[in-house]
């Protein structure tokens, strides 16, 4: 296992040395998707705003008892969309990169970082949208919001590890792409993205407490909506990120040269 | 001093039965070699106990029928496949000319594609800039270089791919078939370019079915048969036996 982790680190080091490659490719990927459109990548901002506004309108419906609902939904959606995109895209990553994996000696981490970068660019537009909604809903920034920034960093740190795990899962178990897509589709409703948990029991309690996504949403959301630091959620997320990285490093070290044979 | 030293190299991989809800089919296309089934596990013996060494100035021709392991050996030398047995020692920078149009993006301009392909090849931005004009000139694309790649004819696209791929000064050059591009006139130019590269390279390994080409280009021949070394001999001896 130690050798595998050492190999994984050397792959990641080479990946960082080749950062120009994945930075350039990620930029091209985003540009390609909007090449012919008038708004270009601004569509990413429009998409987020449209999505968030519709859900805020549908779920809130003028209920004045929850003043910060717009902020609650906007922050939750931002993190959810990032996580969901990472998981779904990661699952088919090696299949999409098959020609490169079979034809070049680029380290696997180049593909992982390319997808991470793509998702970060998309999320950056959503962050602008989220800021607009927070501004319109009257939220006032406080120093506690810095913990939300820290949360984004932690989520970002989890991204490459998650991509590595799901990319290998998708390569060795191709059916998983349909499972992951469906789970994420349902997950949006089983995770407190739009609904609030107020201590009741039953299914909601289970979906709230036993759902790792909840804690990643909360570390970003609670400093903004409740002006407090969710210490327990931060600890849980920190532990999850550590576990993800440990598993990702072992997989990367052990299977980075094997994956070419299953594509 | 460039050199290639291959010692007892073998490549065996398991035909993994992908975990799937579908009916079971082998997960991997065979790249060559022999398939063996022992203890319920199917494995492919792609290369077996290969040993040879090459020194500066050597031009090795890889021959063998389809599936003999020529491309697999090239990919092992390049580092895409890690051998499961033995050792490969490569001294010198290795460049490979297989799949030369890999990574070209249809929406990007020819110029941008040169940059992207250069980065993928591991060139620095300075190296790319230094080579840019020569690549454009060789490709004969003129003003088209600033138009999207998708507007190119097949011949133009092939000329650009060839120009970028061959704009290198390799120490060790690996080739899966001799490459060419474009119309008859460009083919001639491409042929000269290939000969120049071959002359400059310290070592060449060329897999080909074209025996005439191998006799012209190579000084040694390695013949593979089902992943095993069948013969490794000077080209003159091979001519006599062949």
């Amino acid at each position: 296992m130690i050798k595998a982790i050492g190999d994984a680190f050397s792959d990641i080091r080479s990946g960082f040395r080749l950062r120009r490659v994945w930075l350039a490719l990620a930029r091209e990927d985003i540009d390609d998707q909007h090449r012919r459109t008038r708004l270009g990548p601004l569509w990413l901002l429009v998409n987020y705003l449209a999505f968030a506004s519709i859900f805020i309108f549908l779920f809130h419906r003028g209920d004045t008892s929850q003043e910060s609902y717009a902020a609650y939904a906007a922050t939750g959606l931002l993190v959810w969309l990032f996580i969901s995109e990472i998981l779904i895209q990661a699952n088919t990553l090696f299949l999409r990169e098959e020609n490169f994996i079979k034809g070049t000696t680029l380290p696997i981490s180049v593909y992982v970082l390319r997808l991470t970068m793509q998702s970060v660019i998309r999320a950056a537009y959503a962050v602008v949208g989220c800021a607009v909604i927070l501004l319109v809903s009257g939220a006032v920034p406080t120093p506690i919001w810095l913990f939300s920034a820290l949360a984004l960093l932690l989520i970002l740190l989890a991204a490459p590890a998650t991509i590595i795990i799901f990319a290998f899962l998708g390569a060795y178990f191709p059916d998983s792409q349909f499972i992951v897509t469906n789970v994420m589709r349902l997950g949006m409703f089983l995770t407190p993205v739009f609904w609030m948990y107020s201590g009741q029991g039953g299914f909601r309690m289970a979906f709230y407490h036993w759902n790792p996504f909840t804690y990643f949403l909360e570390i970003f959301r609670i400093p903004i909506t409740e002006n407090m630091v969710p210490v327990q959620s931060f600890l849980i997320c920190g532990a999850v990120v550590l576990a993800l990285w440990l598993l990702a490093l072992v997989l990367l070290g052990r299977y980075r040269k094997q994956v070419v044979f299953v594509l | 001093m460039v050199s290639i030293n291959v010692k007892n190299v073998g490549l065996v991989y398991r035909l993994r039965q992908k975990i799937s809800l579908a009916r079971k089919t082998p997960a991997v296309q065979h790249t060559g070699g022999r398939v063996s089934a022992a203890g319920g596990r199917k494995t492919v013996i792609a290369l077996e106990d290969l040993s040879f060494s090459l020194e500066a100035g050597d031009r090795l021709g890889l021959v063998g029928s389809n599936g003999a392991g020529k491309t697999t050996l090239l990919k092992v030398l390049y580092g895409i496949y890690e051998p499961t047995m033995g050792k490969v020692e490569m001294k010198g920078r290795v460049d490979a000319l297989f799949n030369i149009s890999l990574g070209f993006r249809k929406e990007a301009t020819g110029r941008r594609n040169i940059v992207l392909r250069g980065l993928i090849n591991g060139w620095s931005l300075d190296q790319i800039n230094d080579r840019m004009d020569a690549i454009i000139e060789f490709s004969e694309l003129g003003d088209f270089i600033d138009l999207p790649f998708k507007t190119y004819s097949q011949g133009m696209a092939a000329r650009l791919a060839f120009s970028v791929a061959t704009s290198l000064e390799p120490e060790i050059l690996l080739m899966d078939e001799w490459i060419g591009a474009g119309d008859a006139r460009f083919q001639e130019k491409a042929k000269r370019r290939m000969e120049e590269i071959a002359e400059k390279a310290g070592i060449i390994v060329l897999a080909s079915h074209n025996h005439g080409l191998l006799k012209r280009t190579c000084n040694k021949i390695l013949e593979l048969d089902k992943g095993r070394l069948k013969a490794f001999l000077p080209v003159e001896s091979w001519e006599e036996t062949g």
Side-chain angles (χ1 to χ4, degrees), chain A residues 7 18 20-21 23-30 32 35-36 95 98-106 114 170-175 179 255-258 260-263, chain B residues 11-14 16-22 27-29 31 75 78-82 84 98-99 102-108 112 116-117 119-122 124-125 150:
Chain A
D7 289 347
L18 291 165
R20 283 188 195 284
V21 178
L23 287 172
L25 291 177
R27 220 187 81 195
E28 290 292 325
D29 294 335
I30 299 286
D32 272 2
R35 186 87 60 176
R36 289 169 201 223
L95 303 173
E98 179 180 346
N99 288 336
F100 272 79
I101 294 174
K102 286 181 174 170
T104 70
T105 49
L106 289 174
R114 173 187 187 177
Y172 283 89
F173 180 28
D175 297 44
I179 299 172
Y255 295 111
R256 72 193 206 295
K257 286 288 181 187
Q258 302 301 319
V260 66
F261 295 116
V262 294
L263 295 175
Chain B
L11 178 67
V12 178
Y13 57 90
R14 237 178 92 189
R16 277 182 196 271
Q17 208 76 57
K18 277 189 189 171
I19 312 162
S20 168
L21 305 177
V28 189
Q29 77 287 15
T31 48
K75 288 191 172 182
Y78 193 37
I80 295 174
Y81 297 153
E82 205 167 56
T84 40
F98 17 95
N99 201 356
L102 176 69
F104 279 94
R105 303 182 74 102
K106 61 184 173 69
E107 297 288 350
R112 177 78 180 148
L116 293 172
R117 180 67 210 203
L119 289 173
I120 291 165
N121 285 354
S124 69
L125 283 181
K150 65 180 176 187

Side-chain angles (χ1 to χ4, degrees), chain A residues 151-200:
Chain A
L152 286 184
L153 282 180
L154 193 60
I155 294 166
L156 183 62
L157 183 66
T162 313
I163 292 174
I164 291 170
I165 295 167
F166 278 79
F168 280 113
L169 177 72
Y172 283 89
F173 180 28
D175 297 44
S176 66
Q177 53 184 293
F178 299 102
I179 299 172
V180 169
T181 308
N182 282 319
V183 166
M184 294 316 285
R185 216 173 267 164
L186 272 177
M188 189 156 128
F189 299 100
L190 302 182
T191 304
V193 180
F194 296 107
W195 52 267
M196 288 174 157
Y197 176 68
S198 44
Q200 65 269 55

Side-chain angles (χ1 to χ4, degrees), chain B residues 122-143:
Chain B
W123 304 349
S124 69
L125 283 181
D126 284 343
Q127 281 173 316
I128 294 171
N129 287 334
D130 288 347
R131 294 171 187 182
M132 182 66 82
D133 289 341
I135 293 173
I136 296 172
E137 197 192 325
F138 192 87
S139 70
E140 301 175 4
L141 282 170
D143 293 341

Side-chain angles (χ1 to χ4, degrees), chain A residues 22-262:
Chain A
W22 47 268
L23 287 172
L25 291 177
R27 220 187 81 195
E28 290 292 325
D29 294 335
I30 299 286
D31 283 353
D32 272 2
Q33 281 158 7
H34 306 94
R35 186 87 60 176
R36 289 169 201 223
T37 60
R38 211 166 266 270
L39 287 185
L42 278 178
W43 271 113
L44 294 165
L45 172 61
V46 174
N47 282 348
Y48 170 82
L49 281 175
F51 203 11
S53 312
I54 288 168
F55 272 88
I56 290 168
F57 173 75
L58 281 180
F59 281 78
H60 195 33
R61 313 250 308 182
D63 178 359
T64 48
S65 63
Q66 295 167 351
E67 281 178 13
S68 64
Y69 183 74
Y72 182 90
T75 49
L77 185 65
L78 175 74
V79 178
W80 177 262
L81 288 179
F82 182 75
I83 294 176
S84 160
E85 182 191 310
I86 289 265
L87 290 179
I88 293 172
Q89 294 289 324
N91 214 230
T92 51
L93 178 66
F94 293 155
L95 303 173
R96 291 198 306 274
E97 304 281 17
E98 179 180 346
N99 288 336
F100 272 79
I101 294 174
K102 286 181 174 170
T104 70
T105 49
L106 289 174
I108 289 290
S109 53
V110 163
Y111 313 115
V112 172
L113 292 166
R114 173 187 187 177
L115 177 55
T116 308
M117 196 60 216
Q118 262 183 47
S119 306
V120 166
I121 296 173
R122 286 201 191 96
Y125 285 94
V127 166
V128 174
C130 184
V132 169
I133 293 177
L134 291 178
L135 204 71
V136 172
S137 69
V140 183
T142 70
I144 298 286
W145 283 31
L146 286 175
F147 283 93
S148 292
L150 181 67
L152 286 184
L153 282 180
L154 193 60
I155 294 166
L156 183 62
L157 183 66
T162 313
I163 292 174
I164 291 170
I165 295 167
F166 278 79
F168 280 113
L169 177 72
Y172 283 89
F173 180 28
D175 297 44
S176 66
Q177 53 184 293
F178 299 102
I179 299 172
V180 169
T181 308
N182 282 319
V183 166
M184 294 316 285
R185 216 173 267 164
L186 272 177
M188 189 156 128
F189 299 100
L190 302 182
T191 304
V193 180
F194 296 107
W195 52 267
M196 288 174 157
Y197 176 68
S198 44
Q200 65 269 55
F203 280 121
R204 275 202 177 192
M205 186 176 79
F207 289 137
Y208 182 85
H209 284 296
W210 296 102
N211 182 344
F213 300 130
T214 302
Y215 303 101
F216 281 94
L217 262 59
E218 285 201 335
I219 55 172
F220 177 65
R221 173 191 272 161
I222 289 182
I224 292 173
T225 58
E226 294 177 29
N227 203 31
M228 56 185 269
V229 182
V231 178
Q232 194 197 6
S233 297
F234 263 108
L235 290 175
I236 293 173
C237 290
V240 171
V241 171
L242 268 180
L244 286 173
W245 266 110
L246 190 63
L247 177 59
L249 288 172
V250 172
L251 288 175
L252 181 63
R254 197 161 286 177
Y255 295 111
R256 72 193 206 295
K257 286 288 181 187
Q258 302 301 319
V259 73
V260 66
F261 295 116
V262 294

Side-chain angles (χ1 to χ4, degrees), chain B residues 5 17 22 25 38 44 61 65 89 105 123 126 138 144 148 155 158 189-190 203 207 211 220 226 230-231 234:
Chain B
N5 201 357
Q17 208 76 57
T25 46
V44 175
S65 52
E89 283 173 1
R105 303 182 74 102
W123 304 349
D126 284 343
F138 192 87
F144 269 90
K189 193 170 143 185
I203 295 178
H211 287 193
K220 289 182 178 166
K226 292 181 183 161
K230 192 174 168 194

Side-chain angles (χ1 to χ4, degrees), chain B residues 162-184:
Chain B
F162 180 88
S163 307
V164 184
T166 57
S167 169
L168 37 80
E169 286 167 10
E171 292 179 336
I172 296 175
L173 181 64
L174 309 174
M175 284 180 285
D176 201 355
E177 284 296 345
W178 197 255
I179 55 171
D183 54 23

